[in-house]
Amino acid sequence: MKKALIICAAGMSSSMMAKKTTDYFKTQNKDIEMDAITATEGEEAIRDGNFDLYLVSPQTTMYLEGFQKIGQEVDKPVVSIPFNAYIPIPMGIEKMAKLVEENI
């Protein structure tokens, strides 16, 4: 199973996106699971390396460069989520799923 982690400001919207995208992957018979945490936990989570991909929400792009440096240190991809892939409607969920599949 592959795992992706969304790093967000407060974790509310990212938790919803993680759940909806995980559910979408299940309907597509893809073995990918998503979770979410707050930006304050992001550095430690990336260093732990327990996920195959780390996604930085649009609200926390100010941390992107620092998180990407840590990702390079532990050989894990860290990518930015575009706004259109961060909307909890079918189109947004599909874009999020595509982003994950392209980078995982």
Side-chain angles (χ1 to χ4, degrees), residues 27-41:
T27 68
Q28 302 297 305
N29 294 317
K30 305 224 170 143
D31 204 14
I32 303 172
E33 187 176 283
M34 297 187 63
D35 203 351
I37 60 165
T38 64
T40 56
E41 303 167 291

Side-chain angles (χ1 to χ4, degrees), residues 18-86:
K19 180 179 179 348
K20 287 181 177 275
T21 309
T22 297
D23 292 344
Y24 174 82
F25 282 132
K26 287 178 184 174
T27 68
Q28 302 297 305
N29 294 317
K30 305 224 170 143
D31 204 14
I32 303 172
E33 187 176 283
M34 297 187 63
D35 203 351
I37 60 165
T38 64
T40 56
E41 303 167 291
E43 183 176 335
E44 184 178 334
I46 297 167
R47 287 194 192 284
D48 288 346
N50 294 326
F51 290 82
D52 301 292
L53 173 64
Y54 297 89
L55 301 141
V56 179
S57 73
Q59 307 95 301
T60 55
T61 54
M62 70 284 266
Y63 299 109
L64 180 63
E65 190 175 307
F67 287 159
Q68 285 177 325
K69 286 180 183 176
I70 297 165
Q72 289 173 346
E73 291 172 13
V74 297
D75 197 29
K76 297 286 182 170
V78 177
V79 299
S80 179
I81 302 170
F83 283 106
N84 66 355
Y86 205 67

